[in-house]
Amino acid sequence: MSLSSLNYPPLVSLAGIGLGASFPFLEKLAKESPWIVVRLATAISYGINVVAVSRPGRMDGEAVGDGELSTRRGKTLVAPSGWAFAIWGPIFLGELISVTAPFLIKESSSPMLVALLRETAGPFVAAQLFQTLWCAAFRPKYKGAAGFINTGLLSATAYSLSRAHAIFVAQPQLYSNLNHAILFLPMSLHFGWTVAASLVSLNGAISMQENSSKRLIAYAGHISVVAATGLGIFITVTRSAPVFGGVIAWALTAVADGMKQRLAAACEEEGEGESDRKPIIRK
């Protein structure tokens, strides 16, 4: 039996619900298990996510060219320009370093830092697994109402990362700037981007529903931009988290650039239409 045959929307949904229900267990396990087990769990969950992301067949192609989610032809108003997705490079590379570095940290020599890493490990593992399920759900077979499954899984990824983020930003006295750059900065980037991506996903799912009106799509787009802005300001201020705010700003800039491309494409089409309709003057 192939993996694709197991990719059945109700099954993936149930897996996501089960993972959400097990969240407290994962947190408890990370706090109580041997340190080597915690380090292996974070590394393995990261590896599973990388493998899932590398599998072809997702709907990423719909976000480029003339796809249903593209800046030029798509109906959604929240379609970031392609350059915005370059942020995945620093996220994956940074998290590779952040799951590898703890193998060099001894619990006996850095007990407070290890205790903090244990606290963030449970939410981090959950986030990696939720994103793995998102990779399964962000595929053409998830049409209609099933299109909202990937939105739910991406939002669960963002929520899990938010839990981890809240833990380490509340205890900055436990780590140095270097520790932050290596162990926690990638999570901040990942958190900010998955929050923005969740809103992009929601708007994409709404725009791809057969009965979605232009007014509904417009309302969803405007509300999402306001929500992203408000959340960006709130988290940045209340958690003293400039990285999160910077990522949200990056995403909103990309959305604005995407709309400029949409308007440019519309103007081009209108110009071509006018040329086609120009009357032929006979002498």
Side-chain angles (χ1 to χ4, degrees):
M1 182 180 293
S2 64
L3 286 174
S4 59
S5 63
L6 293 174
N7 190 354
Y8 181 53
L11 184 60
V12 172
S13 298
L14 285 174
I17 293 171
L19 179 56
S22 68
F23 199 101
F25 173 74
L26 287 174
E27 290 185 306
K28 182 179 179 182
L29 201 63
K31 293 176 183 178
E32 299 178 355
S33 298
W35 178 223
I36 185 62
V37 173
V38 176
R39 289 178 287 185
L40 286 172
T42 56
I44 291 172
S45 65
Y46 168 80
I48 291 172
N49 186 23
V50 170
V51 171
V53 169
S54 66
R55 291 186 64 83
R58 294 198 314 274
M59 292 176 62
D60 301 69
E62 297 295 335
V64 298
D66 294 333
E68 290 185 81
L69 302 176
S70 69
T71 56
R72 289 179 60 86
R73 302 287 184 180
K75 293 188 293 182
T76 174
L77 299 187
V78 186
S81 289
W83 55 261
F85 298 95
I87 197 173
W88 280 120
I91 289 173
F92 278 111
L93 179 59
E95 288 186 342
L96 173 61
I97 295 171
S98 70
V99 299
T100 303
F103 286 95
L104 303 176
I105 301 174
K106 294 182 180 180
E107 189 167 19
S108 58
S109 59
S110 304
M112 301 301 289
L113 179 58
V114 168
L116 180 59
L117 289 172
R118 284 178 175 277
E119 287 188 71
T120 60
F124 177 83
V125 169
Q128 299 297 319
L129 297 179
F130 273 126
Q131 188 164 316
T132 297
L133 291 174
W134 168 79
C135 289
F138 192 50
R139 294 179 183 272
K141 68 168 64 176
Y142 288 75
K143 293 290 187 179
F148 291 101
I149 295 175
N150 80 76
T151 301
L153 292 169
L154 203 52
S155 299
T157 304
Y159 170 76
S160 301
L161 290 167
S162 176
R163 292 284 294 268
H165 183 266
I167 291 168
F168 69 75
V169 297
Q171 305 175 73
Q173 73 279 5
L174 299 182
Y175 51 86
S176 65
N177 289 335
L178 180 60
N179 290 150
H180 176 266
I182 294 174
L183 300 171
F184 303 122
L185 178 59
M187 270 195 279
S188 295
L189 293 173
H190 200 169
F191 170 39
W193 184 246
T194 50
V195 167
S198 296
L199 292 172
V200 171
S201 174
L202 174 63
N203 280 266
I206 291 173
S207 71
M208 294 179 75
Q209 303 301 306
E210 292 184 0
N211 58 347
S212 289
S213 65
K214 291 182 178 179
R215 177 172 294 182
L216 174 61
I217 293 171
Y219 280 150
H222 286 83
I223 291 172
S224 295
V225 169
V226 172
T229 303
L231 190 59
I233 295 172
F234 178 75
I235 296 292
T236 299
V237 173
T238 59
R239 296 188 183 181
S240 298
V243 173
F244 177 86
V247 174
I248 296 298
W250 167 274
L252 289 174
T253 301
V255 169
D257 189 50
M259 285 307 300
K260 289 180 181 178
Q261 294 180 29
R262 175 81 55 83
L263 291 172
C267 289
E268 287 178 9
E269 290 181 358
E270 185 176 347
E272 292 174 359
E274 289 294 332
S275 297
D276 292 340
R277 289 194 296 269
K278 187 177 293 182
I280 298 174
I281 301 175
R282 299 181 182 275
K283 293 184 178 180

